[in-house]
Amino acid sequence: MSDFGFYFKMGWEHIISRDALDHQLFILALACVYTIRDIKKVLILVTAFTIGHSLTLALSVYDIIRFSSKWVEFLIPCTIFLTALNNIFRVDTKGGSARVNYYLALCFGLIHGMGFANAIRIMLAKDQTIGWGLFGFNVGLEAGQVFCVAIILIVSILFLYGLKIKRRDWIFFLSSGVLALSVKMALDRLPF
């Protein structure tokens, strides 16, 4: 059981630590189109991302797939950029951006899963219980994402209902900030 706790903590920190800005920005871009009334949709969205992330992480750990870490690290901010851009262009469509985000979360989770694969592959290779370690990591990842989403939704309540910011303006503001940061990250991580 201590292995589960170790890998759970690692999954949690993969989302919550200071070094996880790329994941946090992605979650922000995904979740900013929702309100607290959409909690069920947001949880499905987070789970879709975890499924994609878990799938490529498992395939990478079992050495079924392997990609250049330089390209993966570059593609991660590209997924953030595309998600934020989708929000900006679809900010006026009712629910359109939210539906598209389910597919973005699942597909882009596949790319994000490869980002951590090299580090965890080495740890899990030494462990005899790879499945249990992967499970613990993914549960920690999911818990960290739910925590981030909760913070985003609480802050949204303050701005949308407390300060009476228009939802359209809120989505545009957050998505524009995420877009700008993702461009800088992508430029910093150019693989060539």
Side-chain angles (χ1 to χ4, degrees), residues 22 44 52 58 68 72 88 102 139 151 172:
D22 51 358
I44 292 169
S68 165
V72 172
I88 291 168
Y102 288 127
V139 171
I151 290 172
F172 186 80

Side-chain angles (χ1 to χ4, degrees), residues 6-174:
F6 173 78
Y7 288 111
F8 177 92
K9 183 176 184 258
M10 187 183 294
W12 171 268
E13 290 173 351
H14 185 62
I15 297 296
I16 301 300
S17 75
R18 290 182 187 188
D19 297 332
L21 181 61
D22 51 358
H23 279 289
Q24 294 161 4
L25 289 174
F26 187 66
I27 293 167
L28 178 59
L30 286 174
C32 74
V33 299
Y34 296 96
T35 64
I36 195 71
R37 286 177 259 167
D38 303 316
I39 190 73
K40 186 176 178 180
K41 292 178 186 176
V42 179
L43 293 177
I44 292 169
L45 180 75
V46 167
T47 301
F49 177 81
T50 300
I51 289 168
H53 192 282
S54 302
L55 181 62
T56 52
L57 186 59
L59 292 172
S60 295
V61 166
Y62 285 109
D63 215 14
I64 296 169
I65 61 170
R66 203 177 270 224
F67 292 95
S68 165
S69 60
K70 285 182 181 181
W71 277 100
V72 172
E73 290 304 315
F74 170 71
L75 288 174
I76 288 172
C78 292
T79 65
I80 300 165
F81 173 85
L82 290 172
T83 305
L85 191 65
N86 177 62
N87 291 348
I88 291 168
F89 280 123
R90 298 179 62 102
V91 73
D92 288 324
T93 61
K94 267 205 160 170
S97 183
R99 281 190 298 277
V100 169
N101 277 349
Y102 288 127
Y103 300 108
L104 291 175
L106 179 62
C107 293
F108 293 166
L110 294 169
I111 294 169
H112 285 244
M114 289 183 278
F116 195 64
N118 290 333
I120 201 168
R121 181 187 299 119
I122 295 165
M123 290 177 165
L124 287 172
K126 296 176 186 173
D127 192 352
Q128 305 249 329
T129 56
I130 290 176
W132 193 240
L134 277 173
F135 179 70
F137 180 84
N138 289 318
V139 171
L141 180 83
E142 183 79 359
Q145 291 180 145
V146 169
F147 179 76
C148 286
V149 165
I151 290 172
I152 293 165
L153 293 178
I154 289 168
V155 171
S156 292
I157 289 170
L158 296 173
F159 280 87
L160 295 175
Y161 302 111
L163 297 175
K164 306 288 188 216
I165 304 292
K166 291 180 185 175
R167 186 172 179 209
R168 177 191 181 285
D169 296 340
W170 177 248
I171 294 168
F172 186 80
F173 172 75
L174 290 178

